[in-house]
Amino acid sequence: PDGRSGGAGQGAEGALRRGRGDEGRGDHPARRPQAKGGGHPPERGLRGARMLTVYRASAGAGKTHTLTGEYLKMLFGGNGQEGEATYRHILAVTFTNKATAEMKDRIVRDLYALASGGRSGHLEMLRAHLGGATETDVRTRARTLLVRMLHDYAAFNVSTIDHFFQQTLRAFVREIGLQGNYVVELDA
């Protein structure tokens, strides 16, 4: 644990970011994206694709289930859209290490359930998202995605916001004038 609030039993928020298109959302309160900063519309990228979606909900509202479903929709792509490498283009950010582990676990378990013929709470949503694809089509695609993701697990990017910013800082250490061996000190 990283000592931050937002763990089990507390409300928190999570965000998904995708480098390419992102459409669709359910009508459950935890599934309704809210723009940060007083209701401004979400940032849009090229071709009008949503670049950032923030979900806010209290504990037990189904955030992890919702974020897993949204991640899977991005991962599977859309009808006629190739999605088998999109996990490399999706960033899911949470506040705690526990939430990060739970999110990764939930995504892999759900992909495994789909790939192995097991029960998944996301099967029908994915069929609809893929334009009425058959169950066999979804399960076959899940198997392909799972194998590729597990063979390239380091590119499966679900992290804490702290880790994301540290990664970004280290990528630009020369540009901002820091030495590569800098140390972050936390005032507890």
Side-chain angles (χ1 to χ4, degrees):
D2 60 9
R4 298 215 172 232
S5 63
Q10 298 177 358
E13 55 186 58
L16 288 174
R17 181 178 175 116
R18 180 178 176 173
R20 292 188 239 155
D22 166 28
E23 301 87 25
R25 56 183 173 262
D27 57 2
H28 185 279
R31 293 184 184 128
R32 283 190 215 126
Q34 296 181 8
K36 279 290 240 189
H40 297 289
E43 180 182 336
R44 299 263 177 196
L46 296 174
R47 292 182 236 127
R50 183 184 315 277
M51 296 296 292
L52 177 67
T53 305
V54 176
Y55 292 89
R56 292 179 187 210
S58 57
K63 287 182 300 297
T64 304
H65 178 79
T66 299
L67 290 170
T68 300
E70 291 298 314
Y71 189 97
L72 290 172
K73 283 197 301 191
M74 286 186 250
L75 185 64
F76 274 70
N79 191 24
Q81 180 185 11
E82 190 63 35
E84 277 124 12
T86 58
Y87 63 91
R88 295 177 144 266
H89 302 280
I90 301 171
L91 169 65
V93 177
T94 64
F95 283 104
T96 65
N97 289 326
K98 181 179 177 182
T100 296
E102 182 181 354
M103 181 83 178
K104 281 183 127 173
D105 181 65
R106 193 80 67 94
I107 291 167
V108 171
R109 282 181 188 267
D110 221 310
L111 269 177
Y112 178 77
L114 287 165
S116 65
R119 293 181 61 182
S120 167
H122 298 292
L123 178 61
E124 293 306 315
M125 177 267 304
L126 288 170
R127 288 184 64 203
H129 178 69
L130 295 171
T134 67
E135 181 176 334
T136 303
D137 291 340
V138 172
R139 291 187 184 280
T140 300
R141 200 164 184 178
R143 191 172 307 113
T144 302
L145 290 166
L146 180 63
V147 167
R148 288 187 182 182
M149 185 183 283
L150 292 176
H151 282 99
D152 190 21
Y153 195 75
F156 176 31
N157 202 354
V158 179
S159 68
T160 63
I161 196 164
D162 294 348
H163 181 263
F164 170 71
F165 281 116
Q166 282 297 314
Q167 206 172 18
T168 304
L169 185 62
R170 288 196 190 281
F172 295 102
V173 74
R174 279 192 182 149
E175 287 83 352
I176 59 177
L178 291 177
Q179 292 183 359
N181 60 351
Y182 72 91
V183 177
V184 175
E185 293 182 13
L186 298 175
D187 234 357

